[in-house]
Amino acid sequence: MSDPYASRTPVHEQVVDGFGTVRVLPLDPGADAAVIHRWVREERAVFWGMTELTEQQVAAVYAHMATLDTHHAHLVVRDGEPVALLQTYEPEADRVSECYDVRPGDIGVHLLLAPAGPDGGQPGWTARLMAAVAAYVLLGLDRRRVVVDPDVRNEKAVARFLGLGFAAGPVVVLPEIDLPDVYLPEKKAQLAFLDRELMFPG
C-alpha cells in the first residue's frame, strides 16, 4: 500500500524499534480535516470539545491555528497511517499561564490519539509513540519541559501521562476564553510536567 503522506515534509522523523517509522507532519487543515473530524466526533474525544463540529468547522479551527506563531498543529503518522493529532503551544501565550509559573524552555502539548484499530489497544503502543513525540518536542525544538493540562474528568488521559513519567502538578481552573475567533469554556485541569532530563538523561 502506498503512503499517502510520503510527499509531505516532516518536522520530525524517527524509527522506533518494534513500532515503525514515526513522522510528525505540519497539519494541512484542508487535506487532514476528514481524518481529524472522524476522531474528534467520537464520544471518547468529548474532552477535546469538538464533538459537535462539522468537517468544515474543524478545518476552519485549524486554518485559524495555522495563522498563529504560538500554537501549532501536527498530524503524527506511523508507517503511513495517521495515529495522533499533536498540538504544541507556547504556555505564556495560552490561558494555562494564568495557572502556573511558566519557566523558560516550557512547551505545552495537547495529544489526541487515533481510535484503537480492530485489534484493540496494544501494550506499550502509547509509550513508543510518546517517545517519538517527546523526542520532537524536547530535543527537536530544544525545550526543557513539557506541560499538559488534561481535564480532571478525563481520567484515562491523566493516568496515561502519569504512567509515561509525567509528574503531577496542581489541579487548576483554566479561565474561559471568549474571543471572535476562539471560544473555550472554563476547564478544571490536572497539570502535569515532563522534564527533558528525565526522558533523555545525559
Side-chain angles (χ1 to χ4, degrees), residues 153-164:
R153 296 168 298 167
N154 191 354
E155 294 171 1
K156 251 185 171 170
V158 173
R160 184 185 299 129
F161 284 123
L162 298 182
L164 291 169

Side-chain angles (χ1 to χ4, degrees), residues 49-50 53 56-68 71 177-185:
M50 300 173 83
L53 299 191
Q56 289 72 25
Q57 288 170 319
V58 168
V61 166
Y62 288 104
H64 170 69
M65 189 178 291
T67 68
L68 305 176
H71 293 62
I177 291 181
D178 194 358
L179 300 171
D181 292 317
V182 181
Y183 175 74
L184 295 170

Side-chain angles (χ1 to χ4, degrees), residues 46-186:
V46 65
F47 298 110
W48 205 258
M50 300 173 83
T51 47
E52 303 299 317
L53 299 191
T54 65
E55 185 179 319
Q56 289 72 25
Q57 288 170 319
V58 168
V61 166
Y62 288 104
H64 170 69
M65 189 178 291
T67 68
L68 305 176
D69 293 329
T70 54
H71 293 62
H72 302 281
H74 303 87
L75 188 69
V76 184
V77 176
R78 180 188 74 149
D79 293 341
E81 282 288 315
V83 291
L85 169 63
L86 168 68
Q87 293 175 201
T88 60
Y89 62 91
E90 302 299 336
E92 64 269 21
D94 191 86
R95 60 181 178 167
V96 74
S97 64
E98 298 183 34
C99 302
Y100 89 104
D101 290 329
V102 180
R103 290 187 200 161
D106 279 1
I107 187 165
V109 162
H110 298 301
L111 186 68
L112 178 67
L113 300 177
D119 303 330
Q122 296 163 2
W125 192 95
T126 304
R128 289 190 183 101
L129 179 68
M130 192 62 197
V133 168
Y136 165 59
V137 172
L138 290 168
L139 302 180
L141 299 179
D142 191 23
R143 297 306 183 99
R144 307 299 312 174
R145 185 171 70 154
V146 176
V147 55
V148 293
D149 60 0
D151 192 299
V152 289
R153 296 168 298 167
N154 191 354
E155 294 171 1
K156 251 185 171 170
V158 173
R160 184 185 299 129
F161 284 123
L162 298 182
L164 291 169
F166 280 73
V171 171
V172 299
V173 177
L174 303 182
E176 177 188 60
I177 291 181
D178 194 358
L179 300 171
D181 292 317
V182 181
Y183 175 74
L184 295 170
E186 185 178 271

Side-chain angles (χ1 to χ4, degrees), residues 6-78:
S7 63
R8 287 166 59 174
T9 304
V11 292
H12 181 75
E13 184 167 343
Q14 182 177 344
V15 177
V16 181
D17 285 347
F19 188 68
T21 300
V22 177
R23 300 168 78 231
V24 180
L25 309 173
L27 190 79
D28 180 327
D32 298 331
V35 169
I36 302 304
H37 179 246
R38 203 162 62 238
W39 296 349
V40 299
R41 61 188 297 204
E42 292 192 356
E43 183 58 35
R44 68 183 189 88
V46 65
F47 298 110
W48 205 258
M50 300 173 83
T51 47
E52 303 299 317
L53 299 191
T54 65
E55 185 179 319
Q56 289 72 25
Q57 288 170 319
V58 168
V61 166
Y62 288 104
H64 170 69
M65 189 178 291
T67 68
L68 305 176
D69 293 329
T70 54
H71 293 62
H72 302 281
H74 303 87
L75 188 69
V76 184
V77 176
R78 180 188 74 149

